[in-house]
């Protein structure tokens, strides 16, 4: 069978793939196909069905904003959307915009290689189906490659074990079970209180203690729902103007502009309000160690206040990094859960996990019997989802070789040596440091505009130059170094959670608003930093990107 010929192929049907499809198929009339490994739309939310799975962005901002009609007709029920509600939303979007007819589910892309003679990408799926496409767009998500640590003995464990990112669709019944959960990142912090509600006993294996601020989830009032409808344009404008794409603005005051009493009152109010904007009360919490310490100490004091057992409280408050240097979790009764008689905290930094036995988890301090193990151990983030596809660019260059020392790309959008391959929210873009739908809409629209430009001007290939990519990686490093983010040595932002992964700060920390401007300037200057080639293409104005 000859390969199916397409203008564009999009890998993934999450937030990114759905909107990219709409941009290319409906606005440009291209022949587009989406291939999706899951049995339905949803991307990360299709797989992450663990107990307590909920988005930390507020629901009225964790959605598309490109369609005023969609915004007007959809109504969120809670301050933070739960996984099933996000799935209902994305299914609604897929139906409303008739996207499903262009998506093939249960179809995993295994291999994609660039054929220079034809200037096409040849793509193969797990079932052996082949596609030949002009533009290849990866919308594979940043956190879609589950990381199950290699711990000796897991294969002999007599009970069941699960990774939160590949959760069974019919759920897991913890009733009467002894459960062990490994990991206290955003996922573990959401899952632990919910699992503790039904488990006979829950043992939490904590390697790195973590900050968390109450989410204060509540049902949305009709007044707030009306406010969202009436102020959709303002909310969108705010999200587009801020560094992190959230609908709140970071206050322009230093923690040292106020007295100790005033600062404590501000933190108390923020704690009572809950949510990610805890860090938004002062401009220097994320950039200045001394300023950060005031927030960190406030949260540590809260942990000691909430948790009754002083030894447990000390383990939870023994945090080795600045607040928000790792992705800051928000929670519903996380620290309170340690006051249950049935919940036990084990410090595996002090006494590491040595192996798994048929009946439990063994540490240097002894064995903890469990019937079920939950791995809330995160993901091979950002590069993992790309590298598990065998991608080969120009002259046989493998992506895994091009990225051996860490991801090199330009604006997080294109990789030198991989013409006409575009990445949505790849490494080098704000993505995970931003409210994701905001980052995704900007990327999908930029990529669509670039393809439209190519078609209008008879450009056959667009390819990031090596010089622009190297310069951009420098900017990504500089942006990270201007913050406290690199102070968290064990962070997945740095790839530090995966043994052997190069330690490079992956997301762009310069802020979404700034990044949006940079991308717009690049396009306005004739795609500076990209080589545009083809019959009518004029050469790129400069080899390097924006300064
Ligand atoms: P994570 O932040 O990488 O946390 C993984 C946890 O597992 C860490 O506590 C880690 O300890 C621990 N761990 C990993 N391997 C271990 C081992 N061999 N032994 C003991 N402990 C081990 O992963 P995550 O919690 O799944 O979160 C990933 C990201 O997903 C978040 O940062 C966030 O961006 C996103 N997320 C978003 C939401 C939301 O919006 N609602 C919810 C969940 C997740 P160390 O810290 O010591 O490595």
């Amino acid at each position: 069978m000859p390969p199916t010929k397409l203008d564009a192929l999009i890998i993934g049907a999450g937030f990114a793939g759905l909107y990219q499809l709409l941009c290319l198929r409906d606005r440009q009339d291209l022949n587009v196909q989406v291939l999706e490994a899951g049995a339905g739309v949803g991307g990360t939310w299709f797989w992450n069905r663990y107990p307590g799975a909920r988005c930390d962005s507020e629901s009225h901002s964790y959605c598309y904003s490109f369609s005023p009609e969609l915004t007007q007709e959809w109504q969120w029920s809670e301050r933070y959307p739960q996984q099933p509600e996000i799935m209902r939303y994305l299914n609604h979007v897929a139906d409303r915009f008739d996207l499903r007819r262009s998506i093939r589910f249960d179809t995993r892309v295994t291999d994609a290689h660039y054929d220079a003679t034809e200037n096409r990408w040849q793509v193969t799926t797990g079932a052996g189906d082949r596609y030949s496409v002009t533009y290849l767009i990866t919308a594979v998500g940043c956190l879609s490659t589950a990381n199950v640590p290699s711990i000796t003995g897991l294969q002999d464990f007599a009970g069941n074990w699960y990774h939160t990112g590949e959760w069974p669709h019919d759920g897991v019944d913890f009733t009467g079970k002894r459960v062990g959960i490994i990991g206290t990142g955003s996922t573990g912090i959401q899952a632990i209180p919910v699992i503790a509600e039904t488990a006979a006993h829950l043992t939490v294996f904590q390697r790195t203690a973590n900050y968390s601020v109450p989410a204060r989830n509540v049902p949305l009032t009709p007044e707030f729902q009306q406010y969202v409808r009436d102020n959709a344009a303002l909310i969108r404008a705010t999200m587009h103007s801020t560094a992190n794409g959230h609908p709140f603005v970071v206050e322009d005051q230093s923690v040292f502009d106020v007295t100790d009493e005033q600062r404590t009152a501000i933190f108390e109010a923020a704690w009572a309000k809950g949510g990610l904007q805890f860090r938004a009360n002062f401009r220097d919490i994320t950039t200045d160690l001394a300023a950060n310490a005031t927030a960190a100490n406030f949260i540590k004091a809260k942990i000691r206040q909430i948790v009754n057992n002083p030894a447990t409280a000390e383990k939870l408050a023994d945090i080795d990094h600045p607040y928000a240097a790792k992705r800051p979790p928000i929670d519903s009764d996380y620290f309170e859960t340690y006051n249950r008689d049935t919940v036990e905290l084990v410090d595996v930094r002090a006494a590491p996990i040595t192996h798994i036995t048929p009946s439990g988890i063994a540490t240097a301090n002894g064995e903890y019997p469990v019937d079920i193990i939950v791995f809330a151990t995160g993901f091979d983030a950002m590069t993992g989802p790309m590298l598990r596809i065998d991608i080969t660019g120009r002259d046989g260059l493998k992506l895994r070789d091009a990225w051996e020392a860490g991801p090199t790309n330009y604006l997080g959008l294109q990789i030198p040596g991989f013409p006409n391959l575009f990445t949505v929210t790849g490494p080098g873009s704000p993505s995970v440091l931003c409210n994701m739908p905001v980052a995704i809409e900007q990327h999908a629209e930029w990529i669509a505009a670039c393809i439209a430009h190519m078609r209008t001007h008879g450009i056959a290939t667009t390819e990031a130059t090596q010089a622009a990519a190297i310069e951009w990686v420098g900017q990504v490093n500089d942006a990270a170094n201007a913050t406290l983010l690199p102070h968290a040595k064990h962070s997945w932002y740095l790839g530090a959670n995966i043994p052997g992964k190069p330690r490079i700060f992956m997301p762009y920390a310069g802020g979404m608003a700034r990044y949006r401007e940079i991308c717009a300037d690049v396009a306005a200057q004739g795609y500076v930093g990209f080589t545009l080639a083809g019959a009518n293409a004029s050469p790129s104005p400069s080899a390097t990107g924006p300064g």
Side-chain angles (χ1 to χ4, degrees):
M1 274 264 286
T4 305
K5 282 202 160 190
L6 300 169
D7 295 323
L9 188 140
I10 298 164
I11 309 175
F15 265 98
L18 293 180
Y19 186 47
Q20 191 70 73
L21 170 61
L22 188 147
C23 288
L24 295 177
R25 186 195 70 180
D26 298 354
R27 295 183 187 158
Q28 293 189 40
D29 204 20
L30 298 189
N31 181 11
V32 189
Q33 176 78 57
V34 176
L35 300 181
E36 165 57 55
V41 300
T44 194
W45 298 104
F46 179 86
W47 302 103
N48 280 271
R49 295 166 186 253
Y50 60 85
R54 188 185 284 284
C55 187
D56 291 344
S57 297
E58 299 202 19
S59 53
H60 67 290
S61 66
Y62 195 74
C63 49
Y64 297 110
S65 66
F66 68 85
S67 161
E69 298 77 20
L70 175 64
T71 305
Q72 292 303 315
E73 72 200 18
W74 183 263
Q75 189 155 289
W76 294 103
S77 66
E78 295 178 273
R79 181 173 175 188
Y80 307 94
Q82 255 189 318
Q83 180 270 346
E85 190 167 20
I86 300 172
M87 286 295 284
R88 282 198 294 281
Y89 173 75
L90 289 173
N91 276 287
H92 168 74
V93 170
D95 292 333
R96 189 193 189 285
F97 296 100
D98 190 20
L99 300 176
R100 248 177 251 283
R101 68 182 157 87
S102 303
I103 308 173
R104 265 188 74 186
F105 295 108
D106 297 308
T107 304
R108 186 175 284 284
V109 171
T110 53
D111 177 300
H113 70 268
Y114 176 68
D115 175 349
T117 6
E118 287 202 41
N119 184 31
R120 296 182 79 81
W121 281 90
Q122 311 296 347
V123 177
T124 311
T125 71
D129 295 327
R130 292 184 305 131
Y131 294 84
S132 170
V133 308
T134 309
Y135 313 107
L136 178 61
I137 298 136
T138 61
V140 289
C142 300
L143 298 160
S144 51
T145 306
N147 165 43
V148 178
S150 127
I151 304 178
T152 315
L154 180 58
Q155 69 284 358
D156 300 324
F157 181 59
N160 290 326
W161 64 266
Y162 309 94
H163 187 283
T164 49
E166 292 172 347
W167 201 255
H169 284 209
D170 38 7
V172 176
D173 185 4
F174 295 105
T175 316
K177 304 283 189 199
R178 294 166 306 173
V179 182
I181 181 166
I182 304 176
T184 52
S186 301
T187 301
I189 282 175
Q190 285 188 335
I192 286 162
V194 184
I195 296 174
E197 283 172 13
T198 53
H201 190 269
L202 177 64
T203 311
V204 178
F205 295 85
Q206 169 189 280
R207 188 165 67 185
T208 305
N210 215 339
Y211 300 95
S212 187
V213 168
R216 311 271 184 226
N217 184 47
V218 284
L220 291 179
T221 60
E223 292 73 32
F224 186 80
Q225 288 164 333
Q226 190 57 46
Y227 161 83
V228 170
R229 280 193 288 273
D230 293 347
N231 293 280
L234 176 68
I235 293 167
R236 184 173 208 249
T238 307
M239 295 193 300
H240 282 199
S241 68
T242 58
N244 50 31
H246 286 289
F248 54 81
V249 174
V250 177
E251 298 293 331
D252 189 21
Q253 63 176 346
S254 161
V255 300
F256 303 114
D257 289 344
V258 296
T259 64
D260 289 355
E261 292 71 30
Q262 287 168 330
R263 189 182 314 120
T264 303
I266 290 170
F267 283 146
E268 284 291 356
W271 184 267
K273 189 170 184 200
L276 289 172
Q277 63 264 55
F278 184 83
R279 67 194 142 150
N281 286 289
F282 299 103
R283 64 165 183 267
D284 43 2
I285 285 183
T286 54
T287 53
D288 179 87
L289 267 181
N292 188 281
T294 64
N297 290 336
F298 177 87
I299 299 174
K300 289 176 185 177
K302 284 287 181 197
I303 297 171
R304 294 186 180 103
Q305 242 171 44
I306 295 169
V307 178
N308 296 337
N309 179 320
T312 304
E314 275 324 300
K315 282 184 214 159
L316 289 166
D318 185 15
I319 306 173
D320 67 357
H321 52 276
Y323 169 62
K326 282 184 162 191
R327 158 70 155 72
I330 60 173
D331 70 272
S332 297
D333 293 335
Y334 173 62
F335 294 115
E336 289 80 352
T337 296
Y338 291 95
N339 293 335
R340 285 178 180 262
D341 294 340
T342 52
V343 176
E344 179 183 5
L345 180 68
V346 174
D347 178 356
V348 296
R349 171 69 53 82
I353 296 173
T354 52
H355 59 288
I356 290 173
T357 71
S359 56
I361 298 177
T363 73
N365 260 354
E367 184 178 336
Y368 296 83
V370 295
D371 306 309
I372 295 176
I373 301 175
V374 175
F375 288 95
T377 43
F379 303 89
D380 181 357
M382 306 206 80
T383 52
M386 295 279 296
L387 291 176
R388 77 171 161 186
I389 305 169
D390 186 6
I391 300 178
T392 312
R394 195 188 283 291
D395 302 325
L397 177 64
K398 294 272 183 198
L399 183 60
R400 74 174 72 97
D401 293 330
W403 281 5
E404 197 180 7
T408 304
N409 66 16
Y410 181 37
L411 301 172
L413 284 162
Q414 266 215 337
I415 308 153
F418 297 80
N420 294 353
L421 168 66
F422 297 90
T423 53
V424 186
T425 63
S429 75
S431 60
V432 292
L433 297 178
C434 179
N435 180 26
M436 279 304 263
V438 173
I440 283 168
E441 283 190 348
Q442 183 270 347
H443 262 200
E445 287 166 9
W446 192 96
I447 291 167
C450 179
I451 289 175
H453 177 85
M454 291 172 73
R455 295 172 69 79
T456 312
H457 295 88
I459 294 160
T461 61
T462 293
E463 182 180 342
T465 68
Q466 187 70 22
I470 288 170
E471 205 269 338
W472 181 248
V473 171
Q475 284 204 46
V476 173
N477 277 324
D478 292 347
N481 289 332
T483 71
L484 298 177
L485 289 162
H487 286 250
K489 300 294 176 215
H490 300 287
S491 139
W492 61 258
Y493 293 150
L494 273 166
N497 62 328
I498 303 294
K501 189 165 172 169
R503 298 215 173 181
I504 305 282
F505 195 88
M506 292 183 287
Y508 173 69
M512 187 63 214
R514 166 98 186 100
Y515 174 81
R516 184 186 295 277
E517 275 171 22
I518 293 172
C519 291
D521 281 356
V522 163
Q525 291 176 51
Y527 293 91
V528 58
F530 293 92
T531 301
L532 309 181
N536 305 319
S538 47
S540 216
S542 153
T544 57

